[in-house]
Amino acid sequence: MSVQQTASTFGVGDLPEIDVFSAEFRSAPWEVTRRALADSPNGLARSSRGIEALTYAACHTLFSDRRLKIGFDEMYAATGFDESSAVFQSAVTSINNLEGDHHKNLRTLLGSYFNREWVQALRPTVGAIIEDLVDGFEPRGTVDLVTEFSPKIPSRLFTQLIGVPLADATFLERISDQLLKVVYMDPANNEAIEAAYQELADYVNGLIKEKQKAPGDDVVSYLLAAEAAGTVSRRDVVVNTTALLRASTDTTSGQLGLVLAELASRPDLWKLCHADPAVIAPAVMEAVRWRTGAWSILRIAREDLTVLDTEVPAGTEFFGLAATAHRDPEAYPEPDVFRIDRKRPKPTLNWGTGIHYCLGKPIAQVEMEEAVRVLTRRWAAIDFATPFETRGEPFTSQPARMEMTFSVR
Ligand code: HEM
């Protein structure tokens, strides 16, 4: 069925066009967005990959619109994965992509495991992981935070989450690094991604056998208890344990690197975080707004429909640009000023909104806050030894390298 336009609606062709792969967009997307918004009737623009939501309100509308789906099926298929591939099947049947009662059930289950008290009780564990890492490289006075620090925190924490020895963190970090590559939608990575997923699934299946013999208070034992109670299937246990690794490691490591890069470039703020730890939480969230890791979040139209007065055909891909929404003056007054004293700022969008809103946001916050707390307490100053670079835009933003010098207090 073709889309019928009416006088009060727009066609995709009425939207301004932007080049999301241009160097300008990848380094300062809000500059491009502000020009495009002058010609946009509704906060949307078109690009070679689909429709881009530029403003906070447009992103919020997309993320909350139940007529749009997460679309892992389309994303994996477009990247060249066959439906029979294990990673494809796992992604589409995980909590991140499910809908309806199955999704609600898994979300309630995992949400009650990651409850507020559980998350706050993580702080000493996370703090100890960080102190131990810093002990390892501090005597040198230099560190590459991208290879030696940021990815090690979530992978070590994940070993606690699933109840395995700390030594497994290296394996989990390697697998997670391979699985992340799917966001770049480059078929050249598919073989490595599939192989990594197979390794992970074998590992999780082995772990399940151990946890059945000796359950603990970890999330795998918790899911197995739910299986025994008939609430979830064995497949749910395997798929969602692997989904938790995908969801929790590179996302956090990348965003932590960006937050530390921002603080390193603001020596006064670094000092303030040490002098007054109460500023750490708002400083981290302002740094997330300023340097956003989850740059664009995908949604796909299930059917021909009208979104923000724009008629789109089924299958249209929407990208909610959290990175530009975070510089929207309607949502954040004086958006180009870095301010840690914003009064009740709107929630940043890089954790999504709506029924798939990130379940691990408080965990990621604890990891980032503890990293800032420990580093600012131990180091009087930190500086870049080489120019700071990121990669992955316009899909995600990850520090490419962060060779730093620091002075110990
Ligand atoms: C800075 C770190 C993180 C970022 C940027 C991030 C981002 C996201 C995003 C964008 C979504 C999808 C939201 C949507 O489509 O509306 C999501 C979902 C999810 N995240 Fe995170 N995440 C982070 C850390 C974590 C952690 C530490 C966990 C650990 C448990 C986690 C678990 C999940 C789960 C289970 C979902 C699926 C929720 C659902 O579909 O109902 N995330 N996250």
Side-chain angles (χ1 to χ4, degrees):
M1 191 179 75
S2 70
V3 177
Q4 296 297 312
Q5 257 180 262
T6 68
S8 59
T9 59
F10 313 102
V12 173
D14 296 323
L15 301 175
E17 185 164 14
I18 57 174
D19 180 359
V20 295
F21 295 97
S22 69
E24 184 191 10
F25 191 82
R26 287 187 292 165
S27 66
W30 44 88
E31 303 290 351
V32 177
T33 297
R34 284 172 191 159
R35 288 198 301 272
L37 278 172
D39 300 320
S40 173
N42 52 6
L44 299 178
R46 64 197 155 97
S47 75
S48 58
R49 63 178 182 173
I51 294 186
E52 312 283 335
L54 314 178
T55 60
Y56 191 97
C59 285
H60 201 276
T61 301
L62 288 189
F63 298 155
S64 317
D65 191 332
R66 303 286 279 271
R67 300 168 307 160
L68 305 176
K69 59 178 182 170
I70 294 283
F72 276 4
D73 322 46
E74 283 81 357
M75 184 175 120
Y76 278 78
T79 310
F81 283 101
D82 189 90
E83 275 194 30
S84 63
S85 106
V87 73
F88 179 103
Q89 283 304 326
S90 153
V92 303
T93 56
S94 71
I95 179 172
N96 305 72
N97 195 59
L98 288 173
E99 294 178 349
D101 288 346
H102 195 175
H103 172 256
K104 210 185 286 176
N105 182 26
L106 282 167
R107 202 173 156 88
T108 306
L109 200 60
L110 285 172
S112 72
Y113 185 83
F114 300 133
N115 61 61
R116 191 188 296 256
E117 291 71 33
W118 181 89
V119 172
Q120 288 316 316
L122 275 185
R123 277 191 192 273
T125 306
V126 173
I129 289 173
I130 296 167
E131 301 274 4
D132 184 52
L133 283 168
V134 179
D135 286 346
F137 55 69
E138 192 165 74
R140 289 201 319 259
T142 61
V143 61
D144 181 349
L145 291 178
V146 169
T147 54
E148 298 178 88
F149 185 66
S150 305
K152 311 255 175 243
I153 301 167
S155 57
R156 287 188 181 195
L157 183 60
F158 196 76
T159 63
Q160 303 255 348
L161 191 62
I162 61 170
V164 298
L166 188 62
D168 289 9
T170 310
F171 163 77
L172 293 165
E173 189 187 327
R174 174 173 65 79
I175 295 292
S176 145
D177 195 48
Q178 293 295 329
L179 295 179
L180 167 83
K181 291 184 177 153
V182 75
V183 301
Y184 302 126
M185 297 178 80
D186 179 355
N189 296 324
N190 290 6
E191 207 175 306
I193 294 170
E194 182 74 16
Y197 182 78
Q198 284 292 357
E199 262 190 272
L200 179 61
D202 291 347
Y203 174 86
V204 169
N205 280 312
L207 179 59
I208 284 174
K209 287 198 186 112
E210 285 174 32
K211 296 293 171 191
Q212 280 180 312
K213 279 188 242 149
D217 57 5
D218 54 90
V219 74
V220 178
S221 301
Y222 174 80
L223 289 172
L224 285 170
E227 181 196 333
T231 319
V232 296
S233 68
R234 169 60 55 87
R235 183 167 170 72
D236 286 329
V237 180
V238 177
V239 160
N240 289 294
T241 303
T242 65
L244 282 176
L245 179 73
R246 266 202 308 263
S248 67
T249 43
D250 290 288
T251 47
T252 310
S253 135
Q255 187 63 72
L256 170 60
L258 296 172
V259 166
L260 292 176
E262 197 48 44
L263 264 62
S265 61
R266 297 179 184 273
D268 289 347
L269 183 55
W270 186 270
K271 285 189 196 124
L272 186 61
C273 288
H274 173 242
D276 179 8
V279 307
I280 292 176
V284 164
M285 289 315 278
E286 181 68 349
V288 168
R289 180 185 78 83
W290 197 255
R291 287 187 188 269
T292 302
W295 245 58
S296 48
I297 299 173
L298 180 66
R299 290 289 190 271
I300 297 187
R302 284 171 216 285
E303 59 206 35
D304 293 357
L305 43 84
T306 305
V307 180
L308 288 165
D309 298 329
T310 307
E311 307 274 8
V312 300
T316 298
E317 297 189 358
F318 289 90
F319 292 85
L321 285 169
T324 67
H326 291 166
R327 297 295 186 104
D328 178 349
E330 297 287 321
Y332 302 99
E334 297 188 282
D336 297 332
V337 181
F338 186 98
R339 297 181 53 167
I340 60 169
D341 61 347
R342 292 184 179 278
K343 299 279 171 266
R344 289 199 298 276
K346 280 192 182 290
T348 53
L349 289 176
N350 52 314
W351 282 284
T353 322
I355 64 162
H356 289 283
Y357 184 67
C358 178
L359 274 176
K361 179 189 174 190
I363 304 174
Q365 279 178 292
V366 166
E367 291 176 81
M368 292 190 282
E369 287 167 14
E370 285 301 299
V372 173
R373 187 184 62 77
V374 172
L375 295 185
T376 55
R377 180 176 55 73
R378 292 183 62 153
W379 300 346
I382 180 170
D383 204 356
F384 297 92
T386 52
F388 178 60
E389 290 167 15
T390 62
R391 64 187 162 94
E393 298 86 355
F395 296 102
T396 176
S397 181
Q398 298 260 327
R401 61 176 190 177
M402 278 182 78
E403 286 157 25
M404 314 298 286
T405 56
F406 53 83
S407 51
V408 177
R409 284 188 198 283

